[in-house]
Amino acid sequence: MSVQHLCICVLQQNLSAFPGRLDDFSALLSASVAGFKVDPLLFSKIFCPLFHHISSSFVFCPFIPSFPQAAAPPPPPPEEEEEADEEETEDLGHADTYAEYKPSKSTIGISHPDFVVETNTLSSVPPPDISYTLSIPGCSISSGLLSALQLEAIIYACQQHEVILQNGQRAGFLIGDGAGVGKGRTVAGIILENFLKGRKRALWFSVSNDLKYDAERDLKDIDASNIPVFALNKIKYGDTATSEGVLFATYSALIGESQAGGQHRTRLKQILDWCKPNFDGVIVFDECHKAKNATSTKMGKAVLDLQSKLPRARVVYASATGASEPKNMIYMSRLGIWGQGTPFKAFDDFLHAIEKRGVGAMEIVAMDMKVSGMYIARQLSFSGVSFRIEEITLDEEFKLVYNKAARLWAEALELFTRAADTLGLASRKSLWGQFWASHQRFFKYLCIAAKVRRLVDLAHTEMQHGKCIVIGLQSTGEALSQSPFPTGMRRPDGSVRYETRAEQGLTIDHVNVKEKERFMTGEKLIAIISEAASSGISLQADKRVQNRRRRVHMTLELPWSADRAIQQFGRTHRSNQVTAPEYIFLISELAGERRFASIVAKRLESLGALTHGDRRATESRDLSQYNFENKYGTKALDKITKAILGYIDNKVPPPKGYPGGDIMFFRGNVILANCLFLSCIPDCTITKFLNRILGLEVLQQNSLFQYFTDNFDYLINKDKKEGKYDMGILDLAPGNDEIHEETQEKFLTPGNPQEGQVILYKVHVRKGCIKLIKSDSKDIYNVHTKCKACSTSLFLPALKVTPDEAKDFWKSQFDFSFTNCTHANWNGKCKLIEQGQECFLGMRLRQYHMLCGALLRVWKRVSDIVSDITNSSILQIVRLKTKQNSKQVGELTFCYLLLLNPVS
């Protein structure tokens, strides 16, 4: 009898000891079956993963777990917060997010078949001049096998590979193109280029062995089918007899080990033996975001190790999400951003400097990388893509089931706490780690169950309109169905039958490929994809396939990682498609499910993919409303926890209409607050909070979440009023105002891998005239404002006059306000100017100073000076376009004189 079977038997045998409540955990601790004594710690380790298999055997009952309460707190002090006056608006705002992309310095190749865009920020800086000459045959270029965009990326990658960093390693290149632009063909082109240069061996790492067939297809599509592709998983350990070509492997293969003949062998050693000493061929890290946890996982460490042991290899990183967050760049050691000869001695120094500088900092990093020739990032336009969130209303029957499940888990939590106390466990990290992981899985699948019926209805409707369906899941549960405790599709008599997915004459390795073909030919019109199938495959309405129906991509299970969401979106929105897809996010009304939407939203905001790519599609409903993983979310969580525990008197009231009023709301949430606040300091994170509230009953969960979001909104509005809100990258004078460049000073900054320059621009903005709005309803208007800067009241009775009567008056006002503030206009003088200060209220001429160029090289020195002067760690990054059509992106600063010395 297996240990798992033993535990199930123990549970089933002892359930009779609990008539309605699971009070006596000691009965389980002392239980034995067939003479086997159950080890309590072993039982607790196994119980959590199996909890969902036996939950139907428990009796549901109302239960409020008891927790040791904190000492009675003193009367809560009122929050010391003052309402802030609204600041005068600056000449800053948000303009379009994207600009049409075309190669600026590469002139070869045929245009890409689809409309491709680049962020406005990146489009404002040029790539370096081209010095590399391609060896790819002219016929491959003229025939369009590689588009102009793909050829540009190949040129810059090969050009960057000619650079040797100061640490002796060869510089690498990052392809950040979005899904569907054609990273596969670009990578194949880089391999072909090096093959023609005499470098006949290449390594290609990706996330799935199935993608080996896609690699072969990409090489064939560019007329390079003579380059063979070998799958590492088909080669025996220790065998290095394969000839020249491409060795294709998964990231997990990097940590593969074998014990043969007493001699320990590893896949990493096998790969290094195959490469031979002084290897200078290509290493492709496709979907390289898989190595983002490089210091905490064996896989990530192996990626770093391989790069270290092959210092002259030509490294290519390829990922649509690789550089979206600085912490995920740790494995990109070949970019030369940190390390010897750079402003950042180690990756941690780089990470700290970027993360504390606001949301625009990563755009500066991306700009610096593009200018230096190590990065390129384009993506398909989302024009034509529709996107909506479908919120699912829960019926009373489902709420009843959910509430019973919540009470069951609350009871289990107390029992596990009691058991841990009884056993005197000093370390409970493993116990609670497994408990909460199982808790999260249980309620996640319960959330999915609430949406299936609506998804089926939507799918039927869309198919009746001549469309086909792609359903996104993270896991199909196939591995679980092969466990000793099946939960599969059952016969009427309760028995279970398993069927292999492999067909006669077809190996299991080819199943996904065959199923994809059936969907693309129209034999099947519904595709269900999981995380395992969400990298590399193409399911778009391709012009070259039979099934050209519009794809409706429904996300039934929100991913645990936004990287995974981006990968799934890229399956149905790709190049050469007849129509763009429709995206539907199904989200239940359970507040806790927004935890999953939150992390997706965070990444979509940083990439600008769906939330900003097409304003017509997103309208006002986008996922940004669910993004709570920021400083405001953290502070809001701290406020509501302390308010529930009675430590502070919160200005934000709890939700109205809670049964029993405010008193019952606070009393009902004390348990969760204790669990989060008292036991988790200082590790009370948003992720943990949004995971935990999934285990509350529906009404309590939604009310608590509402209280949290009310506090979240309050904090944001407060910072906006005080001028402390980080707006990200803003556009200077985004309307019809004119921007003129006055002067520029250039400074060379030594950097790695090449020198860059920083430019200090002086520009001025000329505002247009004030527009008058015609009104037929009233003849007289009263204008009354109060200037926050000097408390001057400005009062004007406005009369309705003809344009001719107003012409002279407005012309004088127009001329006077060019260099004079509103106070001087009405009062003849300005108190602020008389006191030696500046005043720009109502002035049509404004001057600004901007630092542009390779800011990353002087980032720390500039930010330290700005921080000392402004007491803020945020550097305001702005975009502008001058009257002469010159685009600039840089840091807006008023302390330019102090910056001259450190920059130079």
Side-chain angles (χ1 to χ4, degrees):
M1 180 180 292
S2 68
V3 174
Q4 287 87 352
H5 275 103
L6 177 61
C7 286
I8 291 294
C9 292
V10 170
L11 287 169
Q12 292 175 341
Q13 177 174 307
N14 288 276
L15 281 174
S16 60
F18 310 104
R21 285 178 60 94
L22 298 178
D23 284 352
D24 192 3
F25 199 78
S26 60
L28 290 178
L29 296 179
S30 62
S32 62
V33 175
F36 290 93
K37 190 72 175 179
V38 181
D39 177 81
L41 187 56
L42 177 62
F43 174 80
S44 67
K45 287 182 178 179
I46 297 174
F47 179 77
C48 288
L50 299 179
F51 192 91
H52 61 284
H53 293 295
I54 50 91
S55 59
S56 59
S57 301
F58 287 86
V59 179
F60 293 109
C61 60
F63 175 71
I64 301 295
S66 59
F67 280 82
Q69 297 295 312
E79 288 189 299
E80 296 182 358
E81 295 182 0
E82 295 293 334
E83 292 292 339
D85 291 331
E86 291 191 23
E87 293 289 326
E88 299 293 339
T89 56
E90 292 285 347
D91 303 328
L92 298 172
H94 290 283
D96 294 334
T97 306
Y98 289 105
E100 181 181 0
Y101 183 87
K102 290 185 178 179
S104 60
K105 297 189 176 178
S106 175
T107 57
I108 62 173
I110 296 175
S111 297
H112 201 70
D114 292 276
F115 191 65
V116 176
V117 295
E118 181 184 38
T119 65
N120 257 334
T121 307
L122 279 180
S123 70
S124 66
V125 296
D129 294 334
I130 292 176
S131 59
Y132 185 87
T133 303
L134 278 178
S135 297
I136 292 177
C139 59
S140 297
I141 297 173
S142 60
S143 61
L145 298 181
L146 288 162
S147 72
L149 267 67
Q150 293 161 344
L151 287 166
E152 181 192 32
I154 294 169
I155 290 171
Y156 278 117
C158 293
Q159 181 168 307
Q160 184 70 0
H161 287 156
E162 299 298 311
V163 176
I164 303 299
L165 304 176
Q166 292 190 24
N167 61 7
Q169 295 183 338
R170 190 181 299 277
F173 187 80
L174 171 58
I175 303 174
D177 290 341
V181 174
K183 289 192 297 295
R185 282 202 186 192
T186 301
V187 167
I190 295 172
I191 291 174
L192 172 61
E193 173 67 17
N194 280 273
F195 192 87
L196 295 172
K197 285 284 202 297
R199 294 178 279 271
K200 305 288 188 180
R201 297 190 178 209
L203 295 172
W204 191 331
F205 294 96
S206 197
V207 295
S208 168
N209 286 313
D210 290 343
L211 297 178
K212 181 250 187 183
Y213 304 105
D214 293 78
E216 290 178 320
R217 178 205 63 202
D218 290 329
L219 286 166
K220 181 181 179 181
D221 285 347
I222 65 170
D223 200 20
S225 54
N226 60 312
I227 303 178
V229 181
F230 305 101
L232 182 62
N233 67 322
K234 301 297 184 183
I235 303 174
K236 295 181 179 179
Y237 278 88
D239 185 4
T240 57
T242 56
S243 60
E244 57 193 28
V246 177
L247 186 61
F248 188 93
T250 62
Y251 289 103
S252 57
L254 277 172
I255 58 175
E257 297 181 357
S258 174
Q259 191 78 28
Q263 184 179 7
H264 190 65
R265 303 288 299 183
T266 67
R267 285 296 194 193
L268 182 59
K269 186 177 187 305
Q270 183 181 13
I271 291 170
L272 292 172
D273 290 344
W274 184 81
C275 290
K276 297 181 179 180
N278 301 318
F279 176 75
D280 66 348
V282 177
I283 300 181
V284 178
F285 293 110
D286 197 9
E287 310 295 352
C288 58
H289 51 271
K290 287 291 181 180
K292 63 185 180 182
N293 298 319
T295 58
S296 58
T297 65
K298 286 185 178 180
M299 188 186 303
K301 291 177 181 177
V303 170
L304 285 173
D305 195 27
L306 183 67
Q307 295 179 80
S308 176
K309 291 182 177 178
L310 299 174
R312 292 305 171 105
R314 289 167 159 79
V315 174
V316 176
Y317 309 104
S319 172
T321 59
S324 57
E325 290 189 21
K327 65 181 180 181
N328 294 339
M329 296 178 65
I330 186 170
Y331 60 89
M332 299 182 187
S333 58
R334 294 295 187 90
L335 295 183
I337 297 177
W338 57 87
Q340 184 178 343
T342 72
F344 310 103
K345 294 182 180 179
F347 176 77
D348 286 343
D349 298 320
F350 162 77
L351 181 64
H352 178 71
I354 299 304
E355 285 191 331
K356 74 184 243 186
R357 299 304 172 197
V359 296
M362 272 308 295
E363 287 285 358
I364 294 296
V365 174
M367 289 165 52
D368 194 276
M369 291 165 61
K370 179 183 176 181
V371 169
S372 300
M374 65 177 73
Y375 178 58
I376 200 165
R378 296 79 52 96
Q379 66 180 27
L380 291 184
S381 167
F382 276 81
S383 177
V385 171
S386 70
F387 171 69
R388 76 176 190 264
I389 294 175
E390 188 82 13
E391 291 198 356
I392 311 299
T393 303
L394 305 179
D395 57 37
E396 293 303 316
E397 182 182 1
F398 183 85
K399 289 180 180 179
L400 179 64
V401 172
Y402 197 99
N403 291 345
K404 286 182 176 180
R407 292 194 290 270
L408 171 66
W409 276 93
E411 194 167 343
L413 174 61
E414 190 197 24
L415 294 176
F416 271 77
T417 303
R418 194 184 304 171
D421 292 339
T422 302
L423 294 172
L425 296 180
S427 175
R428 306 183 184 185
K429 184 176 181 180
S430 176
L431 171 67
W432 291 123
Q434 294 183 67
F435 179 90
W436 289 116
S438 298
H439 177 276
Q440 184 176 342
R441 281 196 299 271
F442 179 91
F443 284 103
K444 187 188 75 164
Y445 287 121
L446 207 52
C447 290
I448 292 175
K451 298 179 287 187
V452 172
R453 186 176 302 168
R454 179 60 178 152
L455 178 137
V456 172
D457 292 340
L458 286 171
H460 278 302
T461 301
E462 298 295 347
M463 291 183 69
Q464 288 173 2
H465 288 86
K467 304 171 185 177
C468 60
I469 311 299
V470 177
I471 300 172
L473 287 168
Q474 287 307 297
S475 172
T476 58
E478 183 177 5
L480 185 64
S481 69
Q482 298 170 0
S483 70
F485 305 100
T487 57
M489 302 340 173
R490 292 177 178 269
R491 292 174 172 172
D493 63 358
S495 62
V496 177
R497 180 182 66 189
Y498 294 103
E499 296 181 357
T500 178
R501 293 180 64 220
E503 303 175 27
Q504 186 174 3
L506 198 65
T507 65
I508 193 68
D509 292 346
H510 291 80
V511 169
N512 287 339
V513 176
K514 185 64 177 178
E515 291 286 56
K516 172 202 163 184
E517 290 176 0
R518 287 170 174 156
F519 179 77
M520 299 300 274
T521 59
E523 181 182 344
K524 294 186 176 182
L525 296 178
I526 298 177
I528 302 177
I529 59 174
S530 65
E531 181 194 1
S534 63
S535 294
I537 67 167
S538 302
L539 298 175
Q540 81 273 30
D542 199 308
K543 297 174 183 177
R544 299 166 293 183
V545 302
Q546 291 175 263
N547 180 11
R548 301 181 187 178
R549 296 188 178 203
R550 187 171 194 185
R551 274 55 170 166
V552 180
H553 192 143
M554 302 182 185
T555 303
L556 179 63
E557 179 184 357
L558 288 169
W560 292 24
S561 164
D563 285 341
R564 299 171 185 173
I566 300 300
Q567 293 302 318
Q568 278 205 2
F569 295 153
R571 301 312 103 213
T572 51
H573 183 48
R574 304 177 73 82
S575 290
N576 206 44
Q577 61 192 10
V578 177
T579 57
E582 300 176 25
Y583 291 109
I584 302 177
F585 266 30
L586 288 95
I587 300 177
S588 73
E589 64 176 292
L590 290 165
E593 192 179 19
R594 284 164 172 76
R595 178 266 185 274
F596 306 111
S598 168
I599 54 178
V600 176
K602 183 178 181 182
R603 186 58 47 82
L604 290 179
E605 280 189 312
S606 64
L607 292 176
L610 292 179
T611 53
H612 301 121
D614 187 345
R615 302 283 184 185
R616 294 170 300 174
T618 61
E619 299 175 343
S620 61
R621 289 292 307 279
D622 61 40
L623 283 176
S624 60
Q625 63 182 308
Y626 299 116
N627 184 16
F628 305 109
E629 294 190 279
N630 51 42
K631 66 178 182 179
Y632 296 105
T634 302
K635 191 172 181 180
L637 176 58
D638 182 65
K639 280 170 65 69
I640 69 167
T641 309
K642 289 179 178 177
I644 290 171
L645 292 174
Y647 294 158
I648 62 171
D649 181 15
N650 195 355
K651 282 189 174 183
V652 181
K656 295 180 180 179
Y658 193 83
D662 295 356
I663 294 177
M664 290 306 298
F665 172 80
F666 287 113
R667 182 179 297 173
N669 287 296
V670 163
I671 305 302
L672 181 69
N674 268 308
C675 181
L676 283 169
F677 186 69
L678 297 180
S679 63
C680 301
I681 293 176
D683 189 30
C684 183
T685 63
I686 294 297
T687 299
K688 187 168 293 185
F689 166 69
L690 294 174
N691 284 342
R692 297 291 191 272
I693 65 172
L694 279 171
L696 298 178
E697 295 184 31
V698 175
L699 176 61
Q700 185 184 10
Q701 178 181 151
N702 290 348
S703 298
L704 181 59
F705 187 79
Q706 181 65 52
Y707 188 46
F708 166 76
T709 55
D710 288 346
N711 279 268
F712 180 83
D713 294 338
Y714 170 82
L715 291 170
I716 289 179
N717 292 331
K718 181 174 179 290
D719 265 14
K720 284 182 177 179
K721 290 178 181 179
E722 295 177 354
K724 298 177 181 177
Y725 186 72
D726 183 2
M727 299 294 290
I729 296 182
L730 297 177
D731 292 271
L732 187 63
N736 296 320
D737 300 336
E738 295 180 357
I739 303 177
H740 296 262
E741 180 183 318
E742 293 186 11
T743 62
Q744 60 173 273
E745 297 181 67
K746 296 183 179 180
F747 307 92
L748 288 179
T749 63
N752 196 3
Q754 62 189 39
E755 285 191 341
Q757 64 178 10
V758 174
I759 305 174
L760 183 63
Y761 288 96
K762 181 181 180 182
V763 299
H764 70 256
V765 177
R766 298 180 183 178
K767 288 179 170 292
C769 63
I770 302 173
K771 293 183 179 179
L772 295 179
I773 301 176
K774 182 179 179 181
S775 173
D776 296 325
S777 60
K778 291 184 179 179
D779 292 330
I780 299 177
Y781 311 88
N782 285 327
V783 179
H784 183 78
T785 66
K786 185 176 181 181
C787 175
K788 305 297 190 302
C790 65
S791 299
T792 300
S793 290
L794 308 175
F795 177 80
L796 172 67
L799 300 178
K800 186 176 181 180
V801 295
T802 65
D804 289 338
E805 293 173 323
K807 181 177 180 181
D808 292 341
F809 173 79
W810 281 112
K811 186 178 186 305
S812 65
Q813 297 298 309
F814 182 79
D815 295 338
F816 186 85
S817 63
F818 189 65
T819 55
N820 295 277
C821 69
T822 301
H823 307 112
N825 191 10
W826 295 109
N827 303 323
K829 61 182 179 179
C830 175
K831 292 180 180 179
L832 292 176
I833 293 178
E834 288 180 342
Q835 296 170 1
Q837 303 180 44
E838 291 182 319
C839 181
F840 300 101
L841 183 67
M843 190 183 298
R844 292 199 304 106
L845 179 67
R846 293 292 302 272
Q847 291 183 328
Y848 296 94
H849 291 84
M850 286 178 60
L851 269 180
C852 303
L855 290 184
L856 198 59
R857 318 289 172 81
V858 295
W859 190 269
K860 188 176 187 305
R861 287 186 288 171
V862 172
S863 60
D864 287 346
I865 291 176
V866 173
S867 181
D868 289 342
I869 297 173
T870 64
N871 294 320
S872 172
S873 61
I874 297 175
L875 298 180
Q876 181 58 63
I877 309 300
V878 297
R879 292 182 292 238
L880 63 82
K881 185 177 181 180
T882 67
K883 185 69 173 175
Q884 295 75 29
N885 289 324
S886 172
K887 290 183 178 180
Q888 302 295 343
V889 176
E891 188 261 319
L892 190 66
T893 178
F894 295 97
C895 46
Y896 64 96
L897 292 177
L898 295 175
L899 292 174
L900 290 180
N901 184 52
V903 169
S904 58

